[in-house]
Amino acid sequence: MSTLEVRIEEPVTFVISGATGDLTRRKLLPALYTLFKEKALTQNFSIVGFARRDYDSQSFRSLMAEALREHSRVETDDASLNAFCEHLSYYRGDLSDPTAYAGLKAQFDDGTLPANRLFYLSITPDLIEAAVTGLRAAGLITPPHSKPWTRVVVEKPFGSDLQSARALNCALLDHLDETQIYRIDHYLGKETVQNILSFRFSNILFEPVFNRTYVDHIQITAAETVGMESGRGAFYDKTGAQRDMVVNHLLQLLCLVTMEPPDGLEARSIRNEKMKILRALRLAPETRQHPAICFGQYSGDGKTNAFREEDRVDPQSNTETFAALRMEINNWRWAGVPIYLRTGKRLARKTTEIAVQFKTPPLSLFQHVACKGDVCDLTGVKPNTLIFRIQPDEGIFLQVSAKRPSMQMVVESVNMDFSYSGKWPKDLPEAYERLLLDALRGDSTLFTRSDEAEAEWEVIEPALTIATRHEPSPYAPGSWGPTEADAILLSSNVWKNE
Ligand code: BG6
């Protein structure tokens, strides 16, 4: 048994369409290599890189070995690399040309490739329809619920708005059954994201207070320090922070932290509960002092480029590299609780976290202080905050007030914490390892269903429309985004930037 506690026994072919892209080098191959090293894959597996560029199997293997040396989180000794690379081959073709698939089909027919097949579409949304049509026309898609099986993994962004997501779903469902489609959102594969549900529903302590009576507001932040490295400028300029991060990763986090308990852990139960949240979720109405939305774009500082100076970015671009939104959930549990989402590139620190801030006690009996050594300042009441730290320093932290040892009755904010590295010192598995393994064994729980993907776009559509009418506010690299973002916060709420 592998150390991942799961092993794929069936022979399988993993075809990566768009195999020469950055995702293959940085994420897909390293994840497959770890699965191989951890003995989670059967011996009888093949990985086929499918793309237009002029490689052959030999040069593709060398390229991938180099990528693994650079990006693998597990040891890349020559013997293991060679053994793994023997499973790799390259198939050259134009993904949008239906005739390009015939040679691939022949390799399945003559038994060169194991018959169960997973097609990983690591391509832009505009190519997906052509790719699936090509697979179907070549007879590469087997019927649903049959052996050998066919599964298709679709990368985000899933379309670019509601209309295109619907069209994409129709195109996919024309050729495939929903059970064969795996829409990937790698955040769902993160160990700490999965822990949100475990933490909420395996402890009796927190669930009774997870509601509008006790929760003041929720903040979900995904901040990054990177800009347009790895030649992402062209993609990102067309996409922007809302389509890249909010509509998928941030909304998924929001669903997990606010959904009702599912009636089981299988895909249908969890997805049904997430859908109920998405149906009740909307951009909060703006007030005169408080807009519901703020967009930003990073400027340069002499050392790093402004977004508009990045490679393959329009010098006049109005694409947002920062987005902050105030949302609300119109249901019994959460009505009236502001939910703030925030994400951006070139911010002060790389961090992804969810902070659930509770209300303060009805009567403040104690003086609250913050101290550095023996020097203390009065701070006003500090509310309890429960923080799910998704990355880095993964863990769960609860901020509570405790009496500071002294003759005076004063309290100070302290942390009760659980950190993964303290309890389980081993590296956490990479999200793609978990998700690829799940797709290979046919478990779609951590993938997005067609109605979910459309509902996410429906929720974010008003914000996308507003974005087209507004120039993003500039912000300094290394900051927490434009100061205008403070205006979306209600009452005395402040961003958690510690
Ligand atoms: C990807 C986005 O989905 O997620 C990237 O396209 C972003 O722009 C990345 O950098 C962040 O992922 P993680 O796992 O580093 O938080």
Side-chain angles (χ1 to χ4, degrees):
M1 182 60 76
S2 79
T3 53
L4 294 164
E5 293 156 23
V6 178
R7 184 178 153 85
I8 307 295
E9 301 293 351
E10 293 173 306
V12 61
T13 301
F14 194 102
V15 182
I16 307 175
S17 302
T20 48
D22 200 41
L23 187 74
T24 308
R25 300 177 65 253
R26 283 191 308 115
K27 297 288 182 191
L28 303 182
L29 259 287
L32 289 166
Y33 178 69
T34 309
L35 298 183
F36 169 78
K37 285 266 295 189
E38 303 272 332
K39 302 197 177 5
L41 295 179
T42 155
Q43 266 309 303
N44 191 2
F45 77 94
S46 285
I47 299 171
V48 182
F50 180 7
R52 223 175 7 189
R53 288 212 201 148
D54 192 11
Y55 292 113
D56 57 17
S57 292
Q58 201 43 50
S59 49
F60 184 64
R61 283 184 196 126
S62 314
L63 192 74
M64 291 302 125
E66 196 185 302
L68 288 172
R69 282 198 192 91
E70 192 179 341
H71 298 291
S72 172
R73 76 174 180 92
V74 294
E75 204 194 329
T76 49
D77 53 292
D78 285 349
S80 307
L81 273 185
N82 290 340
F84 176 73
C85 286
E86 273 174 26
H87 296 267
L88 261 58
S89 62
Y90 188 72
Y91 179 79
R92 188 174 168 217
D94 178 353
L95 296 159
S96 53
D97 173 5
T99 62
Y101 294 77
L104 191 58
K105 172 75 164 54
Q107 292 187 32
F108 281 103
D109 290 347
D110 67 15
T112 311
L113 295 173
N116 294 312
R117 59 206 70 172
L118 186 148
F119 296 102
Y120 196 107
L121 305 186
S122 177
I123 52 183
T124 50
D126 52 314
L127 284 177
I128 290 176
E129 182 169 0
V132 181
T133 310
L135 292 173
R136 172 69 178 276
L140 278 161
I141 298 177
T142 55
H145 313 293
S146 71
K147 291 277 170 107
W149 51 255
T150 302
R151 293 176 196 140
V152 174
V153 181
V154 184
E155 256 299 330
K156 64 162 271 283
F158 191 76
S160 54
D161 54 17
L162 177 59
Q163 202 188 353
S164 57
R166 280 190 181 139
L168 201 49
N169 269 336
C170 283
L172 286 168
L173 291 165
D174 258 358
H175 301 301
L176 295 153
D177 185 71
E178 178 69 33
T179 56
Q180 296 174 302
I181 307 170
Y182 290 68
R183 296 172 195 79
I184 201 164
D185 180 323
H186 80 276
Y187 264 52
L188 293 179
K190 289 180 191 279
E191 193 64 37
T192 37
V193 171
Q194 292 160 46
N195 194 27
I196 298 171
L197 286 192
S198 327
F199 185 82
R200 286 189 58 201
F201 301 129
S202 66
N203 296 302
I204 193 73
L205 215 52
F206 296 99
E207 213 33 41
V209 292
F210 254 56
N211 55 50
R212 65 192 307 273
T213 312
Y214 296 100
V215 173
D216 181 73
H217 71 273
I218 299 177
Q219 291 187 21
I220 304 180
T221 300
E224 296 185 88
T225 51
V226 292
M228 293 300 111
E229 288 82 355
S230 318
R232 292 194 88 216
F235 160 79
Y236 197 88
D237 196 14
K238 275 194 278 164
T239 310
Q242 293 204 87
R243 292 183 170 88
D244 190 40
M245 294 290 289
V246 178
V247 75
N248 30 64
H249 304 329
L250 263 54
L251 289 191
Q252 286 292 334
L253 295 182
L254 185 155
C255 285
L256 293 174
V257 84
T258 57
M259 66 185 241
E260 294 299 316
D263 57 15
L265 287 181
E266 67 281 6
R268 188 190 50 82
S269 307
I270 293 181
R271 289 160 154 190
N272 285 351
E273 293 307 331
K274 286 198 285 176
M275 267 308 287
K276 289 187 201 157
I277 291 292
L278 290 169
R279 293 249 168 274
L281 183 67
R282 61 170 197 186
L283 190 65
E286 52 183 25
T287 67
R288 195 176 311 167
Q289 293 100 346
H290 298 290
I293 216 160
C294 169
F295 301 118
Q297 189 187 75
Y298 62 82
S299 3
D301 61 1
K303 285 188 274 186
T304 52
N305 284 338
F307 179 67
R308 291 178 182 174
E309 295 159 352
E310 299 278 20
D311 187 27
R312 295 195 284 162
V313 169
D314 178 353
Q316 317 277 310
S317 174
N318 271 340
T319 299
E320 79 286 358
T321 60
F322 172 95
L325 296 86
R326 187 174 73 250
M327 318 270 317
E328 57 183 30
I329 300 172
N330 266 334
N331 70 10
W332 195 266
R333 189 195 276 257
W334 294 113
V337 177
I339 302 184
Y340 302 109
L341 305 184
R342 182 174 54 150
T343 185
K345 301 278 185 199
R346 283 254 190 278
L347 295 183
R349 205 154 46 79
K350 163 99 179 157
T351 181
T352 305
E353 67 175 40
I354 303 173
V356 180
Q357 183 169 314
F358 293 92
K359 294 186 173 166
T360 49
L363 185 65
S364 180
L365 289 173
F366 305 97
Q367 285 204 315
H368 288 247
V369 295
C371 304
K372 272 204 180 116
D374 284 340
V375 184
C376 300
D377 284 326
L378 291 180
T379 61
V381 184
K382 287 269 184 201
N384 297 137
T385 307
L386 178 66
I387 295 180
F388 295 89
R389 174 84 44 79
I390 311 295
Q391 61 190 14
D393 309 327
E394 294 83 352
I396 296 178
F397 308 89
L398 180 62
Q399 288 167 356
V400 294
S401 295
K403 181 180 174 308
R404 185 177 162 78
S406 80
M407 291 301 288
Q408 292 173 353
M409 223 25 182
V410 295
V411 295
E412 190 178 342
S413 193
V414 296
N415 260 349
M416 292 169 76
D417 52 14
F418 143 70
S419 83
Y420 275 80
S421 59
K423 169 74 183 156
W424 297 292
K426 210 170 162 252
D427 272 0
L428 292 176
E430 257 285 309
Y432 276 93
E433 293 162 16
R434 167 69 198 253
L435 294 173
L436 297 189
L437 200 54
D438 278 354
L440 286 168
R441 63 201 186 108
D443 182 346
S444 58
T445 314
L446 301 179
F447 294 81
T448 314
R449 198 167 60 188
S450 54
D451 53 348
E452 249 181 285
E454 289 180 20
E456 288 178 338
W457 283 113
E458 212 166 330
V459 164
I460 229 66
E461 197 102 298
L464 291 176
T465 312
I466 296 174
T468 58
R469 294 200 299 259
H470 285 260
E471 254 201 50
S473 310
Y475 62 93
S479 68
W480 282 101
T483 46
E484 285 86 338
D486 294 352
I488 77 165
L489 300 169
L490 297 183
S491 55
S492 56
N493 299 166
V494 288
W495 291 115
K496 301 203 174 308
N497 290 341
E498 305 95 64

